[in-house]
């Protein structure tokens, strides 16, 4: 079940905590990967690690999602490297947290450009070859705060809520061609960034979660493997919330 053998996937933000877990999950199910990120050295090192762990000839394609020309070139580059694209995972994103009254225009613009605009550009570019193949899986990693909101994150919450609405529209446009479009909304996920938090702060965060702990990157990877699979072919326009129960939506 959830066999992705013969399928090719592009994952943005691939070398981060959640991104690497997504790549591991897809690779374990047999998908061939193109991994993308903005830090070229880190990306190539991660590609080498994937290969040494048994991934099927992964390729690294650096991309600055803040640059429209670089974004427009990413899907064609992935198709050239992989031969096709069956799965697009929009995982990369940034935060520029600030209270709304203090938020600078560039803090708003940067988050919307990378989290929402680049996502749209990649979806639009990937949809064309997927429509021709009459098969495709587009999955965007959003956030629980795209539904609940969060103080100090008006830009981030807006970008993630925008991705959800956009994905629903795309799901309706592309369904007749065998392409599904879904989102995964993580809650608190343990990453190297959360590892450095003081124990008291971790305990306070865990107290908000009915399951009593943060999630693991593998939880998001497993959700991606499911939504990317043929078994999920009747699931589209949905947001799968993976948050341990902290927001029961």
């Amino acid at each position: 079940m959830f066999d992705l053998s013969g399928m090719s996937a592009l994952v943005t933000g691939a070398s981060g905590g959640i991104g690497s877990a997504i790549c591991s999950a897809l690779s374990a199910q047999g998908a061939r990967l193109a991994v993308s990120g903005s830090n070229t050295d880190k990306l190539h090192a991660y590609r080498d690690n994937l290969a040494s762990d048994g991934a099927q000839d992964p390729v690294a394609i650096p991309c600055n999602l803040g640059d429209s020309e670089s974004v427009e070139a990413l899907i064609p580059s992935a198709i050239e490297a992989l031969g096709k694209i069956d799965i697009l995972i929009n995982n990369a994103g940034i935060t520029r947290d600030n209270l709304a009254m203090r938020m600078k225009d560039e803090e708003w613009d940067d988050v919307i450009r990378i989290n929402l605009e680049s996502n749209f550009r990649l979806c639009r570019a990937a949809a064309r070859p997927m429509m021709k193949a009459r098969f495709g899986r587009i999955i965007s990693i959003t956030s629980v705060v795209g539904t609940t909101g969060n103080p100090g994150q008006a830009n981030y919450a807006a970008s993630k809520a925008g991705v959800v609405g956009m994905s629903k529209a795309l799901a309706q446009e592309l369904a007749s061609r065998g392409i599904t479009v879904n989102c995964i909304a993580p809650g608190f996920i343990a990453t190297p960034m959360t590892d450095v938090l003081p124990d008291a702060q971790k305990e306070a965060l865990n107290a908000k979660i009915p399951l009593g702990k943060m999630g693991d990157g593998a939880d998001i990877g497993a959700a991606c493997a499911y939504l990317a699979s043929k078994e999920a072919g009747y699931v589209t326009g949905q947001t799968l919330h993976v948050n341990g129960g902290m927001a029961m939506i």
Side-chain angles (χ1 to χ4, degrees):
M1 186 174 284
F2 309 155
D3 183 6
L4 305 180
S5 298
M7 298 172 70
S8 297
L10 169 65
V11 181
T12 67
S15 60
I18 291 178
S20 60
I22 292 170
C23 290
S24 294
L26 298 183
S27 178
Q29 299 304 317
R32 188 181 175 209
L33 301 176
V35 296
S36 185
S38 58
N39 186 322
T40 301
D41 292 341
K42 184 179 179 181
L43 184 68
H44 281 92
Y46 177 63
R47 185 271 317 276
D48 293 343
N49 287 338
L50 272 176
S52 65
D53 288 341
Q56 180 189 159
D57 192 22
V59 296
I61 309 176
C63 180
N64 173 12
L65 293 181
D67 177 72
S68 60
E69 290 186 5
S70 182
V71 174
E72 293 291 350
L74 181 55
I75 296 295
S77 296
I79 293 173
E80 181 179 0
L82 299 174
K84 61 174 182 169
I85 181 168
D86 302 296
I87 304 163
L88 169 63
I89 310 287
N90 291 306
N91 169 66
I94 64 167
T95 56
R96 297 286 185 270
D97 295 351
N98 213 339
L99 294 175
M101 295 298 100
R102 299 174 182 172
M103 187 172 290
K104 298 179 176 63
D105 287 349
E106 56 266 29
E107 291 173 331
W108 174 272
D109 291 342
D110 288 348
V111 170
I112 297 299
R113 182 182 306 111
I114 290 176
N115 294 7
L116 179 57
E117 181 183 322
S118 71
N119 188 309
F120 169 71
R121 289 179 181 274
L122 292 176
C123 289
R124 181 176 61 184
R128 294 188 178 102
M130 288 179 177
M131 289 175 70
K132 186 175 181 180
R134 302 190 73 85
F135 179 87
R137 298 285 186 263
I138 297 174
I139 303 166
S140 293
I141 308 303
T142 60
S143 170
V144 64
V145 306
T147 299
T148 65
N150 198 41
Q153 290 193 310
N155 50 2
Y156 185 75
S159 71
K160 295 303 188 179
V163 168
V164 171
M166 179 187 71
S167 297
K168 290 179 179 180
L170 291 174
Q172 294 179 55
E173 293 180 16
L174 301 175
S176 65
R177 299 300 182 95
I179 302 166
T180 65
V181 187
N182 293 290
C183 297
I184 296 170
F188 291 125
I189 303 299
T191 66
M193 292 179 64
T194 61
D195 289 344
V196 300
L197 294 175
D199 288 342
Q201 190 170 352
K202 290 181 184 178
E203 290 175 6
L205 291 174
N206 289 339
K208 299 178 181 179
I209 305 170
L211 285 179
K213 61 178 183 178
M214 293 186 193
D216 187 86
D219 296 318
I220 309 304
C224 280
Y226 164 63
L227 289 176
S229 71
K230 293 179 181 178
E231 286 85 352
Y234 201 56
V235 179
T236 195
Q238 306 302 313
T239 299
L240 178 56
H241 289 270
V242 184
N243 60 37
M246 65 171 287
M248 298 186 183
I249 302 159

